[in-house]
C-alpha cells in the first residue's frame, strides 16, 4: 500500500517550524500541556477554523452560551494566536469579515440511524455584541464584547465535542485546507473501527468544490489535498492513512487526544 506519509522528508525540508511544532506535541500530551481544545462534531465536516475552535473550546470549558471575547480586539486576537494588522488585507479586516459571515449563517445538522432521521438548521449565534474600534485595536471597551450562542448549537457542542490539540491548530493555521483536514481526520479517527476507502470525488465535494470538477480541476484538488494532508500527518503522526487504487484509505488509528473515542457515531 502506498502511504501518504511516504514523502514526509520533503515536508521537513520545506517547513522546519512545522516539524519543530510536531516534536513539541510528541514530547508532551495535550492534557499535560493544557492545550486540549474542542470542535463541535458537526463542524468537523464543513469549514472549521481558528474562530470556531476557540468558540467551541470556551463553550465546553465554561458550559455557558454567553462567550466573552475580551476587553479589546488585540486581546481577542491574541487568544486566536493572531497578530493584529490593519489595512484592506490585514488580519483585523479579515477577522471582521469572517465573524460577520460566521455569526450570520445557519448550519445543517443531520442525525441518521437505521431507524430514524433528524435534521435541523440552527444559527451559530443568537446575539453578538462587539464594542471594538478596528482603528484602535488596543482600546478597552466600556462593555465586554460577547457572543450568545444559539441554544441548539450550544447543546450540540457540549454534548459531543471532538477534542483537538490546539498546538496542532496553531501549527497548521496558515492553511485553511490543512485545518479542515486535521479536524476531519481527528473526527473520523474518533470512531473509525474498520478500514475505509474514500473516493477523491467524495473528498472534493467536501473539501474542494472550488477547484472545478473537470479533469484539470480534479487533478489540482488531489495535488493540493495530498500536500496539505502530508502537513497534517507531520503533527498527527499516529493517523494511518494511505492510497490504494486511486482512493484514500483510512485505517483505525489512535485518536490525536489519547483515550478519547466516539462510540456509535457515524458521519462524513
Amino acid at each position: 500500500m502506498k502511504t501518504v506519509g511516504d514523502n514526509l522528508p520533503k515536508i521537513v525540508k520545506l517547513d522546519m517550524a512545522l516539524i519543530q511544532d510536531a516534536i513539541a506535541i510528541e514530547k508532551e500530551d495535550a492534557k499535560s500541556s493544557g492545550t486540549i481544545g474542542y470542535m463541535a462534531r458537526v463542524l468537523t465536516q464543513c469549514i472549521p477554523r481558528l474562530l470556531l475552535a476557540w468558540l467551541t473550546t470556551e463553550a465546553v470549558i465554561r458550559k455557558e452560551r454567553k462567550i466573552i471575547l475580551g476587553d479589546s480586539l488585540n486581546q481577542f486576537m491574541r487568544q486566536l494566536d493572531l497578530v493584529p494588522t490593519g489595512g484592506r488585507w490585514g488580519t483585523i479586516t479579515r477577522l471582521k469579515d469572517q465573524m460577520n459571515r460566521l455569526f450570520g449563517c445557519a448550519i445543517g445538522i443531520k442525525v441518521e440511524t437505521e431507524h430514524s432521521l433528524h435534521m435541523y438548521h440552527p444559527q451559530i449565534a443568537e446575539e453578538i455584541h462587539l464594542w471594538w474600534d478596528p482603528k484602535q485595536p488596543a482600546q478597552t471597551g466600556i462593555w465586554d464584547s460577547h457572543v450568545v450562542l444559539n441554544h441548539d448549537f450550544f447543546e450540540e457542542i457540549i454534548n459531543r465535542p471532538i477534542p483537538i490539540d490546539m498546538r496542532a491548530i496553531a501549527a497548521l493555521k496558515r492553511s485553511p485546507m490543512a485545518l479542515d483536514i486535521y479536524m476531519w481526520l481527528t473526527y473520523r479517527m474518533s470512531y473509525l473501527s474498520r478500514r475505509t476507502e474514500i473516493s477523491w470525488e467524495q473528498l472534493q465535494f467536501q473539501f474542494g468544490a472550488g477547484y472545478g470538477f473537470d479533469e484539470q480541476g480534479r487533478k489540482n484538488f488531489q495535488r493540493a489535498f495530498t500536500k496539505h494532508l502530508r502537513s497534517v500527518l507531520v503533527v498527527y503522526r499516529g493517523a494511518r492513512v494511505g492510497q490504494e487504487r486511486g482512493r484514500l484509505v483510512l485505517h483505525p488509528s489512535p485518536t490525536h487526544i489519547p483515550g478519547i473515542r466516539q462510540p456509535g457515531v457515524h458521519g462524513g
Side-chain angles (χ1 to χ4, degrees):
M1 178 182 72
K2 182 180 179 182
T3 303
V4 174
D6 288 342
N7 296 319
L8 286 182
K10 295 180 181 178
I11 296 293
V12 176
K13 293 177 183 177
L14 291 173
D15 195 341
M16 284 303 299
L18 180 62
I19 198 64
Q20 287 168 358
D21 289 335
I23 291 172
I25 291 171
E26 294 247 339
K27 282 184 177 180
E28 187 177 21
D29 64 64
K31 184 175 181 179
S32 299
S33 66
T35 58
I36 292 182
Y38 298 89
M39 176 54 69
R41 180 177 58 88
V42 295
L43 293 178
T44 61
Q45 301 178 69
C46 50
I47 46 172
R49 293 292 187 271
L50 295 174
L51 179 57
L52 288 169
W54 185 85
L55 284 170
T56 302
T57 300
E58 288 292 299
V60 171
I61 291 175
R62 304 185 187 284
K63 299 293 190 295
E64 295 180 359
R65 286 203 296 143
K66 183 177 178 178
I67 308 296
I68 303 300
L69 303 181
D71 291 335
S72 68
L73 180 57
N74 272 1
Q75 182 189 52
F76 177 58
M77 295 188 72
R78 283 197 298 270
Q79 294 182 88
L80 297 180
D81 198 26
L82 295 174
V83 177
T85 58
R88 182 179 179 186
W89 305 111
T91 56
I92 293 175
T93 302
R94 285 187 284 132
L95 177 61
K96 181 181 178 181
D97 179 63
Q98 289 176 16
M99 293 178 77
N100 286 339
R101 292 172 182 268
L102 174 65
F103 297 134
C105 77
I107 59 173
I109 298 176
K110 176 181 177 181
V111 181
E112 185 174 8
T113 69
E114 186 178 352
H115 305 291
S116 67
L117 172 65
H118 179 52
M119 299 178 66
Y120 57 109
H121 299 83
Q123 286 189 291
I124 290 178
E126 188 174 289
E127 298 178 29
I128 176 170
H129 298 276
L130 302 180
W131 304 103
W132 299 321
D133 181 354
K135 296 181 180 179
Q136 297 179 310
Q139 181 176 309
T140 301
I142 300 175
W143 299 281
D144 282 328
S145 293
H146 65 273
V147 171
V148 179
L149 299 178
N150 173 278
H151 178 269
D152 289 341
F153 179 67
F154 174 73
E155 290 296 319
E156 177 70 24
I157 285 176
I158 64 173
N159 286 335
R160 285 200 292 185
I162 300 299
I164 55 177
D165 193 324
M166 295 303 287
R167 295 169 299 176
I169 299 301
L172 299 169
K173 69 179 181 180
R174 286 174 293 175
S175 166
M177 182 178 284
L179 285 174
D180 286 344
I181 294 171
Y182 171 74
M183 301 286 192
W184 170 77
L185 198 58
T186 301
Y187 168 59
R188 291 300 298 258
M189 293 310 183
S190 74
Y191 69 85
L192 197 69
S193 61
R194 64 179 183 273
R195 178 184 180 278
T196 301
E197 293 188 7
I198 306 171
S199 71
W200 284 106
E201 184 179 26
Q202 289 173 301
L203 290 168
Q204 187 172 357
F205 271 113
Q206 186 163 346
F207 293 97
Y211 282 86
F213 290 94
D214 58 1
E215 183 177 355
Q216 188 58 50
R218 288 194 296 269
K219 287 181 179 179
N220 290 341
F221 167 74
Q222 186 170 346
R223 188 180 302 114
F225 185 94
T226 301
K227 171 188 173 182
H228 293 300
L229 176 58
R230 287 174 180 150
S231 295
V232 171
L233 295 178
V234 170
V235 296
Y236 185 2
R237 298 187 68 86
R240 299 175 58 216
V241 183
Q243 293 185 50
E244 291 183 17
R245 300 186 298 275
R247 298 169 72 89
L248 196 72
V249 181
L250 305 183
H251 297 270
S253 307
T255 57
H256 203 214
I257 305 297
I260 303 295
R261 297 199 73 79
Q262 299 285 327
V265 177
H266 301 278

